[in-house]
Amino acid sequence: MKGTFYITTPIYYPNDIPHIGHAYTTVACDVLARWHKLNGEEVFFLTGTDEHGRKIEQAAEKNKKKTMDFVNELIPKFKDAWQKLNIGYSRFIRTTEPEHYAVVTEMLNKSFANGDIYLGKYEGNYCTGCEAYYTEKELDDGCCRIHKTKAELISEETYFFKLSAYREKLLELYERVPHFIMPHTRMNEIKNRLKEEIHDLSISRTSFSWGIPLPFDNKHVTYVWFDALANYLTGVDYPGENYAKFWPAVHLVGKDILWFHSVIWPAMLMSAGIKTPRRVFAHGWWTFDKEKISKSRGKVINIDELIAIAGVDAARYFLLRETTFGQDGDFSTEALLKRRDADLANELGNLVSRTLTMCEKYCEGKVPAPGTLDAEDKAVIAKAQEICKKVPEEMEAFNLSGALNTIWELVKLLNQYVDKTAPWVLAKEGKTDKINSVFSVLTEAIRITAVLVSPFIPETGEKILGQLGLDGKAQLGQGYEKLAGWGVLAPGTVIKKGAVLFPKDKTNAK
RNA sequence: GCCGGUGUAGCUCAGUCGGUAGAGCACGGGAAUCAUAAUCCCUAGGUCGGGGGUUCGAGUCCCUCCGCCGGCACCA
């Protein structure tokens, strides 16, 4: 084993319908998890749901259900979505699990014992209709958007966490771990914000009861922070074996919740005497046909719709290739189909297809032993080896789109190589030595491509390996060093050209 | 308002330590026929937002103006 890798998605609010935003974070985590697994590391990949809070409590009431029953009915939607998207998580955590209560309680007790939690008064704009506080920004001219009534300035007793006490320590953390927050511009934003004064954090409520009671005052229920964020510890059975093995985690989050993960969460951990996370990466948002995603205006794409357009792998590929990882992107059906057709069907799919067809025709359907390798053959091998070195560097920097770009350099090179060597001409001329070299190089380079691509589009990766006469799953478990080497595919292996990888004629792949 | 970023070919963007501009896509032309009519080759004369400065020489450094974008966190 080469070490461990622990990656998390945020826990999602189960009241939502899983849509492209959830899918993006989750797929990106899945790709990183698969990559590290491919690299021979032991991987723990956590996702789940955040099930406490006033909104859930109210939604359950509205549906005339017991809160727990109501929540239970919402969870399959998420699990189902992840299964369809081929997400290989290690654990699906729910904040309503008893184990989680224990972890949250312990963290609260530790912070309390440290003197980081104190009783105070929270003052805010309160809408009686919603029974909730709102920030200035969330109000229209001081009025609640739902009830259109003036929010009242009221105060209530709540416990605070001394976030302000951790300002310096957080800044030190960012200095000590240069890539703690990524991308770099986000690090700057957070640092700048922290240069100013920060307020302590209200961590309890008395206005609802669906949550975890404070261990030192059970009139109060834990408000989001200690509850939701602590899931990352519960996920690895803190303080048990998995925790010892996998912590600290890499958190992948949307840019909207970066503050929580890069400021509040590390401060909480410091207070509880627990190691801070390894890294927090904030990705961008998707627009839909250039418009902000909005449920009310129908500008949402849920996961079933996403997959229905061009299949699972095309969807996964699109999300990670279309936009530089970390920046915002625009989703449209046309753009997705274009990616599927141009990159996946025409370039990758067709490369496999033309190679295997010719291999059947000119090499009796077997991987040939190479003939004498000339300069142009060797150039392809050299490039493949170079790419095998570059991709891990990009994955290490979480540059997922960059990694795909690099992999496609190889795909493009191989199509060029086919055209340049023109095996159909070689066949007419009876140049079997060169033909053997060409198909030896091509099949091996395609094998490498399949390996590189497998974290992103796992189904396709395995299919290609299968067509090369290999057992895809077994292959991918062998460790990157071996898989990225040249000469793994043994001469004489019988290829099995299968169905076209990305058929274009149907708009519905599945 | 404060902080930060950005403005480069029709579109999306690369441009490292300053030395007279690059890629992908789209468009146009051609080659080839193994393949999912897929692939490959050729074609970009863009005042590098405006102006000023430093320098032998500036997308590349400095100043200034204009435009656009992001952050300003108890938005669970």
Side-chain angles (χ1 to χ4, degrees):
Chain A
M1 263 318 142
K2 283 180 60 185
T4 60
F5 183 73
Y6 177 27
I7 189 163
T8 71
T9 73
I11 42 176
Y12 304 116
Y13 212 59
N15 228 0
D16 288 342
I17 293 166
H19 58 71
I20 187 171
H22 301 106
Y24 187 39
T25 318
T26 311
V27 168
C29 280
D30 186 59
V31 170
L32 283 162
R34 285 178 191 270
W35 166 259
H36 283 270
K37 215 175 280 175
L38 181 67
N39 201 29
E41 294 160 68
E42 197 173 351
V43 171
F44 199 91
F45 169 20
L46 183 74
T47 190
T49 42
D50 175 18
E51 306 182 4
H52 289 309
R54 186 186 51 83
K55 279 189 188 169
I56 290 283
E57 193 178 66
Q58 284 184 336
E61 271 172 34
K62 211 182 264 177
N63 286 276
K64 296 188 176 121
K65 287 188 174 147
K66 279 189 184 168
T67 318
M68 198 63 228
D69 293 343
F70 175 70
V71 170
N72 282 339
E73 288 167 19
L74 297 173
I75 306 309
K77 217 171 40 180
F78 278 86
K79 290 193 171 173
D80 186 47
W82 302 151
Q83 195 195 347
K84 285 176 180 164
L85 272 171
N86 210 355
I87 305 296
Y89 56 78
S90 314
R91 175 170 177 182
F92 188 103
I93 190 165
R94 302 180 51 184
T95 53
T96 47
E97 293 172 27
E99 294 89 338
H100 185 61
Y101 276 62
V103 171
V104 171
T105 301
E106 187 177 339
M107 280 202 81
L108 285 164
N109 275 333
K110 280 190 172 172
S111 272
F112 190 68
N114 278 348
D116 280 336
I117 293 177
Y118 63 92
L119 187 62
K121 275 200 172 126
Y122 178 73
E123 200 179 64
N125 300 299
Y126 188 81
C127 171
T128 43
C130 299
E131 294 180 46
Y133 289 98
Y134 289 109
T135 56
E136 296 277 335
K137 266 191 177 178
E138 293 174 283
L139 298 169
D140 285 333
D141 202 23
C143 291
C144 163
R145 283 176 193 167
I146 299 161
H147 297 87
K148 308 289 178 202
T149 53
K150 202 92 180 166
E152 292 174 68
L153 191 68
I154 66 161
S155 64
E156 101 177 73
E157 218 178 48
T158 126
Y159 282 87
F160 282 89
F161 171 67
K162 277 190 193 166
L163 184 61
S164 57
Y166 289 91
R167 205 177 62 93
E168 290 293 328
K169 284 175 190 158
L170 287 165
L171 287 167
E172 281 166 27
L173 168 67
Y174 306 152
E175 290 308 316
R176 196 172 69 241
V177 189
H179 299 295
F180 182 72
I181 301 172
M182 288 183 75
H184 193 248
T185 50
R186 299 288 167 201
M187 174 81 108
N188 289 339
E189 282 176 14
I190 297 288
K191 274 186 186 169
N192 283 332
R193 176 73 184 92
L194 272 185
K195 279 176 188 152
E196 294 159 31
E197 207 188 335
I198 54 171
H199 299 293
D200 287 344
L201 196 69
S202 163
I203 58 157
S204 73
R205 286 293 125 101
T206 50
S207 54
F208 63 89
S209 61
W210 181 241
I212 302 173
L214 293 188
F216 39 83
D217 186 346
N218 55 26
K219 288 199 301 289
H220 288 252
V221 161
T222 309
Y223 186 55
V224 270
W225 318 114
F226 272 84
D227 185 346
L229 290 165
N231 91 83
Y232 303 128
L233 288 173
T234 313
V236 283
D237 304 325
Y238 171 83
E241 267 177 48
N242 271 343
Y243 165 77
K245 196 193 234 173
F246 290 106
W247 190 261
V250 168
H251 301 303
L252 200 64
V253 299
K255 61 184 182 180
D256 56 326
I257 52 172
L258 177 60
W259 175 262
F260 312 153
H261 286 80
S262 61
V263 176
I264 296 175
W265 175 229
M268 282 168 50
L269 289 166
M270 287 173 183
S271 173
I274 299 169
K275 263 204 209 159
T276 46
R278 194 193 285 194
R279 181 179 286 181
V280 182
F281 187 100
H283 67 243
W285 282 128
W286 288 93
T287 50
F288 182 41
D289 290 334
K290 304 272 184 187
E291 286 184 60
K292 205 178 161 193
I293 287 179
S294 144
K295 274 167 240 171
S296 51
R297 282 181 296 129
K299 286 287 174 190
V300 212
I301 179 146
N302 69 39
I303 278 140
D304 287 331
E305 291 166 336
L306 179 66
I307 293 171
I309 296 167
V312 177
D313 275 357
R316 291 173 60 113
Y317 177 82
F318 176 86
L319 290 175
L320 296 170
R321 177 73 190 267
E322 185 70 0
T323 289
T324 303
F325 196 56
Q327 302 193 317
D328 291 349
D330 180 58
F331 174 88
S332 68
T333 302
E334 299 72 51
L336 170 51
L337 287 173
K338 196 174 157 193
R339 281 287 176 198
R340 193 272 309 266
D341 290 350
D343 299 4
L344 295 174
N346 295 351
E347 292 186 331
L348 177 61
N350 188 49
L351 170 69
V352 172
S353 177
R354 68 198 301 209
T355 300
L356 294 186
T357 300
M358 288 190 282
C359 200
E360 281 178 344
K361 269 193 202 168
Y362 308 139
C363 303
E364 299 161 337
K366 288 181 202 153
V367 173
T372 321
L373 296 172
D374 60 26
E376 76 181 333
D377 307 322
K378 285 178 183 163
V380 171
I381 296 171
K383 183 72 179 176
Q385 294 292 271
E386 183 193 318
I387 282 166
C388 284
K389 274 196 200 128
K390 203 172 158 196
V391 170
E393 290 166 11
E394 276 159 332
M395 295 304 282
E396 199 52 44
F398 287 25
N399 186 2
L400 305 186
S401 45
L404 282 174
N405 276 317
T406 302
I407 296 166
W408 251 255
E409 280 178 37
L410 179 58
V411 173
K412 287 176 188 197
L413 179 73
L414 295 179
N415 273 320
Q416 288 166 10
Y417 178 65
V418 172
D419 281 314
K420 222 184 280 173
T421 54
W424 49 94
V425 176
L426 297 173
K428 277 181 201 153
E429 293 168 351
K431 292 181 177 162
T432 39
D433 184 73
K434 177 68 177 174
I435 285 185
N436 288 341
S437 294
V438 168
F439 286 99
S440 165
V441 168
L442 278 174
T443 48
E444 181 65 353
I446 288 171
R447 183 193 62 80
I448 285 174
T449 305
V451 169
L452 293 174
V453 115
S454 65
F456 296 88
I457 44 176
E459 228 178 272
T460 303
E462 282 186 26
K463 270 192 207 164
I464 295 174
L465 291 172
Q467 296 198 4
L468 290 172
L470 300 167
D471 176 341
K473 272 213 171 61
Q475 275 291 307
L476 294 172
Q478 295 188 4
Y480 187 71
E481 268 112 71
K482 172 150 193 241
L483 292 170
W486 190 265
V488 171
L489 190 55
T493 305
V494 179
I495 59 156
K496 296 178 200 148
K497 185 172 189 278
V500 156
L501 291 169
F502 295 95
K504 289 187 292 183
D505 45 343
K506 296 172 209 148
T507 44
N508 296 309
K510 287 211 160 172

